[in-house]
Amino acid sequence: MGQSQQRHNVGEDAAALERLGVKQELGRNFSKVSMLGLAFAILNSWTALAASLSLALPSGGPSAVIWGLMVAGICNMCLAASLAEFLSAYPTAGGQYHWASIISWKRFSPAISFATGWISVAAWVCLTATGGLLGSQLILGAISLMSMAYEPQSWHQFLIYIAYTLAALLINVFGTRLLPYFTKAAFFWSLAGFAIISITVLACAAPSYQEGAFVYGSFTNTTGWPDGLSWLLGLLQGAFALTGFDATIHMIEEIPRPQIQGPQIMLWCIGIGMFTGFVFLSCLLFVLKEVDAVINSTAGPLLQILYDATQNRAGAMCLLIFPLVCMLFTTTSIMATSSRMSYAFARDRGLPFSRLLAKVHSGLGVPVNALLWTTAWVIIFGCVFLGSSSAFNAIVSASVVALGVTYAIPPTINCLRGRTQLPETRAFKLSSGLGWTVNLVGIAWTALTTVLFVFPPQIPTTGTNMNYCVVAFGIILLIAVIQWLADGRKNYTGPHVDVNALMQGQVEGISAEEDASQSVAESSKPDVMLSY
């Protein structure tokens, strides 16, 4: 595709964005593959699943690890398909809060949109902390494996956590033109790591494998909760590994033909996450030696399994390089998405200091202030970790719950209004029966996980093992209420959109024929497009 055609497409996308009440300020620099790389880097499912094995192994054992992922994957796919309909109609970085504003009852629209925006901003800022957290845990585990005398300290982890965070900030601020290449590299690096580690552990452990009945059917419950509830609590691992698929939504203003490519990327990243996660977890469980040893290992569950399979510390460390680098890709991608979410909400005057946070740096082409805002909060959360790991874990868990709530708000409103609030001309459209089924399954999944994920992980409950997620989520809601009363109800009106024009079909869409004719050219499209 020539430069004139690229410029024409970008111009069309910018015009469509203006009809949604938003000015095109960010360059559409991403291709389909590089945006898929960003989305998959955030899910990073096989790495996140491996690093969080200790969540599900005590709460259901291998059966919860494997089949919990499948349940979470199907339900998250329903949520993603529900949001894909909205994305194809209204492709803006604001996402859920923008859509809630458009389809809500006029009287309640500003309040619902404001609450959704605040929860989404808080969730993404909290989620940014998970990259540095998991990366620092892997590094400390590696040190523990190599030196049995090493005693990890919280400040050791804090410094590594800060290093991950600052590296992500620098890449986002000064490498914006290279970011699409960075995320494409993240995609291929992750897939390479998945394949190499899976093959290596199976080859090294042969022929000493666990039985298939153990991998796919064994049950363990050390939580004190009833067996059924314990298995459901194990769903947190799968839900965590598939959370963040809305990254595509908040980066949507930086990809050409967003109404076509956005929904495809969102669904593809979950599908790839389910497949790689299922295969990778199966491989790890086939070579696992003792469940209790893995749960209690100071090296961490992933590194312990790698060591048990290879029987070689150096070999296990070499394999660990893949997830360690993946966590840098993850942290960078989450920070980019979080900054775009804060930037989008600020330009609609939803945040304190909105004028500052909504600025795009003219030279760098990124919302630098929004990036600094995210980084400052992540560092504050790290300081919380120095005082209490339980409080920090609550902040991380709250991100999963909060994101789930924002996923459910638009389809819930649409269902309450008879699924009639989206324009018929949208590019991604579910049939009536399938649409209702997908929406209701996604909403039910959110309701279930919102309740389950605030349960203590085990009983009897103490101050140490208490789940403070509900407290962290409550603080998010409290801040939103205070900000609404102090400023939002006076100044926040939501995005300025001509809803009547959109509902009459004046929404940017691309027909199936046009999509087919452009798909050939898509593969040759460069990662860095011309800025508008």
Side-chain angles (χ1 to χ4, degrees):
M1 184 180 292
Q3 284 193 351
S4 61
Q5 183 63 45
Q6 292 176 21
R7 190 179 295 108
H8 174 68
N9 288 342
V10 172
E12 285 185 344
D13 293 335
L17 195 60
E18 284 202 30
R19 289 196 287 274
L20 292 168
V22 177
K23 180 183 178 182
Q24 180 78 56
E25 294 184 288
L26 301 171
R28 294 189 181 268
N29 300 325
F30 284 82
S31 70
K32 189 173 184 177
V33 175
S34 57
M35 186 61 77
L36 178 61
L38 180 139
F40 188 65
I42 290 175
L43 264 66
N44 207 10
S45 300
W46 65 270
T47 303
L49 287 164
S52 58
L53 275 170
S54 56
L55 293 176
L57 282 177
S59 300
S63 67
V65 170
I66 294 290
W67 302 116
L69 171 65
M70 293 295 101
V71 172
I74 292 171
C75 293
N76 274 290
M77 188 70 81
C78 289
L79 281 172
S82 298
L83 296 183
E85 287 196 292
F86 287 89
L87 183 59
S88 67
Y90 312 123
T92 74
Q96 295 92 307
Y97 87 84
H98 197 133
W99 305 333
S101 175
I102 293 174
I103 69 171
S104 291
W105 305 268
K106 186 174 181 180
R107 178 182 176 186
F108 304 108
S109 175
I112 293 174
S113 174
F114 188 85
T116 305
W118 258 100
I119 295 172
S120 190
V121 167
W124 273 102
V125 170
C126 292
L127 192 66
T128 309
T130 62
L133 172 66
L134 293 179
S136 60
Q137 287 178 344
L138 290 174
I139 291 176
L140 290 184
I143 298 173
S144 296
L145 180 68
M146 299 303 291
S147 175
M148 301 300 292
Y150 173 69
E151 294 184 7
Q153 303 293 324
S154 58
W155 65 271
H156 297 169
Q157 186 170 2
F158 173 76
L159 292 178
I160 300 171
Y161 169 89
I162 294 299
Y164 266 98
T165 302
L166 294 181
L169 173 66
L170 293 175
I171 294 170
N172 270 289
V173 171
F174 299 107
T176 180
R177 290 289 179 178
L178 299 177
L179 190 59
Y181 297 111
F182 185 84
T183 58
K184 184 182 284 188
F187 183 56
F188 292 118
W189 176 270
S190 182
L191 292 181
F194 152 74
I196 291 171
I197 296 177
S198 298
I199 294 170
T200 302
V201 295
L202 290 176
C204 291
S208 180
Y209 298 136
Q210 292 283 358
E211 297 289 336
F214 169 82
V215 174
Y216 299 111
S218 62
F219 178 84
T220 303
N221 180 10
T222 61
T223 65
W225 292 107
D227 287 348
L229 180 57
S230 174
W231 194 92
L232 289 174
L233 291 175
L235 290 173
L236 176 59
Q237 183 195 21
F240 171 69
L242 295 173
T243 290
F245 58 81
D246 61 319
T248 305
I249 297 171
H250 306 304
M251 299 290 292
I252 201 66
E253 294 174 20
E254 298 173 58
I255 185 172
R257 300 192 305 131
Q259 65 278 24
I260 291 290
Q261 298 196 106
Q264 293 173 353
I265 293 169
M266 196 156 55
L267 296 173
W268 266 106
C269 72
I270 294 179
I272 296 173
M274 289 176 65
F275 172 76
T276 57
F278 181 85
V279 173
F280 191 72
L281 288 175
S282 296
C283 292
L284 292 186
L285 292 173
F286 269 116
V287 303
L288 182 148
K289 301 300 182 185
E290 297 182 15
V291 173
D292 290 339
V294 169
I295 294 174
N296 299 317
S297 173
T298 57
L302 173 59
L303 190 55
Q304 186 63 49
I305 293 175
L306 296 180
Y307 175 65
D308 288 343
T310 61
Q311 290 298 303
N312 185 290
R313 285 186 170 85
M317 290 292 295
C318 288
L319 294 179
L320 192 68
I321 293 296
F322 285 101
L324 277 176
V325 175
C326 278
M327 294 322 301
L328 177 59
F329 287 133
T330 298
T331 308
T332 303
S333 299
I334 299 178
M335 182 176 289
T337 307
S338 177
S339 68
R340 300 321 191 262
M341 179 64 236
S342 296
Y343 153 77
F345 197 43
R347 71 188 174 191
D348 285 318
R349 301 187 65 181
L351 291 174
F353 317 111
S354 285
R355 290 184 179 180
L356 286 174
L357 295 177
K359 284 186 177 181
V360 175
H361 192 281
S362 58
L364 297 172
V366 290
V368 174
N369 293 335
L371 284 165
L372 293 174
W373 153 275
T374 297
T375 302
W377 279 111
V378 172
I379 292 175
I380 290 172
F381 295 156
C383 295
V384 170
F385 174 76
L386 284 174
S388 171
S389 60
S390 296
F392 181 76
N393 290 334
I395 293 170
V396 173
S397 298
S399 69
V400 179
V401 173
L403 281 176
V405 170
T406 66
Y407 297 160
I409 289 175
T412 297
I413 297 171
N414 198 28
C415 285
L416 290 175
R417 305 195 70 178
R419 275 184 52 84
T420 60
Q421 300 305 301
L422 289 173
E424 291 297 320
T425 57
R426 63 187 184 272
F428 182 88
K429 183 179 179 182
L430 300 173
S431 64
S432 178
L434 180 61
W436 277 103
T437 301
V438 164
N439 289 170
L440 293 176
V441 169
I443 294 167
W445 168 250
T446 298
L448 175 67
T449 54
T450 300
V451 173
L452 286 177
F453 295 165
V454 298
F455 272 59
Q458 63 186 57
I459 53 175
T461 303
T462 65
T464 302
N465 65 25
M466 176 62 185
N467 186 348
Y468 293 99
C469 172
V470 65
V471 177
F473 187 60
I475 291 173
I476 292 173
L477 294 179
L478 180 62
I479 293 174
V481 170
I482 293 174
Q483 177 66 10
W484 171 257
L485 294 175
D487 178 65
R489 61 177 177 172
K490 301 175 184 176
N491 299 315
Y492 182 80
T493 58
H496 301 288
V497 180
D498 187 349
V499 178
N500 292 328
L502 291 174
M503 291 304 296
Q504 290 169 8
Q506 296 177 23
V507 63
E508 191 72 11
I510 295 180
S511 66
E513 291 79 5
E514 289 176 298
D515 184 39
S517 67
Q518 293 181 14
S519 60
V520 175
E522 178 64 30
S523 60
S524 62
K525 191 176 293 183
D527 278 325
V528 180
M529 302 286 291
L530 296 174
S531 298
Y532 180 76

